Amino acid sequence: MKMGVIEGAAAEQVREQNAKEEHDQGTMDLENGQMDFEEEKVMKTDHNHTNNNHNIDHNKEFQASKFQTLNPTNPLRIVINNATRVASLSPQQQQQQPSQPLSTPSIPQQPVTLNSRRYTNKISLFIFLLHMLIAIALVAFLVFKGVEGLIKPSSDSKRRKQTRVVKYFLPQVEAASVLSIVLALTWQTAITKWPNFMTHFTLWCSFFMSLSAGILLLCFQKPPTDGVGVSLIAFSIGNGFYACWVQNRIKFCSKILTLSLQPVSKFHDLNQPTFYMLGAALLWMSLWTLAVIGALNFYFPPLVIIALVLSLAWVSEVMRNVVNISVSRVVALYYLRGMQSSTRFGFLRALTRNLGSACLGSLFVPAIEAARVVARFLNLLEGEDEFLFCCARCCLRVMESIFRYGNGWAYVQIAAYGKGFVAASQDTWSLFKRLEMEPIVDSDITTSICFLSGVSIASICVIVVSAWTSQFYQNFIATLSLLTFFTSYLLTRIAMALPHACVSCYYVCYAENPDHRLFDTTIKDRLDMIKSGRHVAAPTPRVPPRFAGD
């Protein structure tokens, strides 16, 4: 009996010694990259568990065979002793890969979110909302003053004057607003269907319409109408020179416009933000017109009217950029991710989370682009005068630097990624520089086509209103012509935000992923032509490298 106990104890000691040797050998093999897992120690005191232990061992051998092809530095190669441990490299592998750290895991890059929930440019959003509260209060007060002037005039002469203003001033402005909306939507539809034809037509229609409006105003032979007429004729002459200068760019612009407008047919509700903003703009302009009439009964009418004009310009520009961001959200996600996103969702984001960027861009982009055009015009006229040469180069260099921090291309990344206006401007311009696309985006005339579309429709409205007003009260012709041109132009720009946003998305999304299947070789071929010197179009004035600096 004692001999059996002694033999059992000896056998148990031998089994423990063998298990320890197998553990040490398995650990050493694991660190050499030859084994993945150490088999679990299983107590074999019960004979009934023998088959189960055999199955477990078989499964673990199968798992080990699957993981033997993993890199020895992979964190999945671990030793199970109630803890984890990263395997070390063998001396031969350390000599082959001396520069790779063993204990420092690589940090994955955070993906860019397409559904950012933060509000962008909160300060500009606060300023705009504060401005809107003041504007609404001022408009309401001036409308009250206008109604009071009709009901309780201080004298009969003032009452007659107020009645005359309402009778011969308000109907023309309202009719011009409705006419401009109808023409703008028709113009936008025509550009969507026939972009090639409408590009040529817009350039020359703006020339002839502004020239015709100026000549008509000169025919009334009054000093105010003569001043407005001469201004329109001078603009039409410049417009004609510009149309001749960009003739070599029209073909490429038409092709890009055709390509960029292709996604419009895939989203049948893409124009809904335009309809909403045009309706809101028409309502606000009606109240604004009543406020202008009421300002005649208040102190300092010229200053009040100037304040109202500046306010309306900012509000309408914000409305245009809300449409721009809404459309850019849908089209950009289509290019970047192939997504059929909701237009209503993009419109709500533009009115809430991205409204601050729209307000900031609406305030600065028109001023920056206008100053940039002036700087380039000076660069063209520099001649041989050294002083003018230095001034032109200096102005152009300053405007090029500012343009990197604020440009109209930024609205695409604002819509897609929810970036702030300045960050989006910098990132977008960096994308253009990376692909050397600055000559192409600088020479793009889509913005000019949208601008001249507004000029064409505004000139048509001026012709209609001035002819109508001449039949009743000619003293209002000049004032109504200016007011009609201003409001009609703003309404048309809101409608033209859709094609402008589509072109911007095409350029920016191409710069981000030029190998995407939705893009052809149009831009690449254009870049090759520019680099090879086969591009014969008149170049856009830029700062030469020797003056650009770092």
Side-chain angles (χ1 to χ4, degrees), residues 297-336:
N297 297 329
F298 195 56
Y299 301 104
F300 309 110
L303 295 179
V304 175
I305 292 175
I306 290 174
L308 289 173
V309 167
L310 294 177
S311 173
L312 180 62
W314 192 17
V315 171
S316 62
E317 188 69 11
V318 170
M319 290 181 176
R320 183 177 76 88
N321 286 324
V322 166
V323 178
N324 192 344
I325 292 175
S326 303
V327 176
S328 296
R329 169 82 181 179
V330 177
V331 179
L333 294 188
Y334 171 75
Y335 283 134
L336 297 174

Side-chain angles (χ1 to χ4, degrees), residues 184-200:
L185 292 176
T186 305
W187 206 282
Q188 183 214 83
T189 305
I191 286 181
T192 305
K193 292 185 177 180
W194 309 293
N196 188 22
F197 167 76
M198 288 302 296
T199 302
H200 292 82

Side-chain angles (χ1 to χ4, degrees), residues 11-27 38-44 81:
E12 182 68 20
Q13 185 175 4
V14 170
R15 284 195 298 270
E16 291 178 357
Q17 182 67 25
N18 292 336
K20 183 176 181 182
E21 291 177 359
E22 291 175 358
H23 172 271
D24 294 338
Q25 182 66 28
T27 303
E38 178 193 25
E39 296 179 359
E40 293 181 351
K41 294 180 180 180
V42 182
M43 299 299 294
K44 300 182 179 179
N81 272 329

Side-chain angles (χ1 to χ4, degrees), residues 478-500:
T479 304
L480 280 172
S481 297
L482 286 174
L483 187 60
T484 298
F485 189 93
F486 179 65
T487 56
S488 300
Y489 169 79
L490 295 179
L491 290 170
T492 305
R493 289 306 305 271
I494 294 175
M496 295 303 297
L498 187 144
H500 185 247

Side-chain angles (χ1 to χ4, degrees), residues 456-476:
S456 300
I457 294 176
S459 300
I460 294 173
C461 293
V462 166
I463 293 173
V464 173
V465 168
S466 59
W468 181 3
T469 308
S470 65
Q471 301 298 318
F472 299 101
Y473 196 75
Q474 293 190 0
N475 291 335
F476 285 163

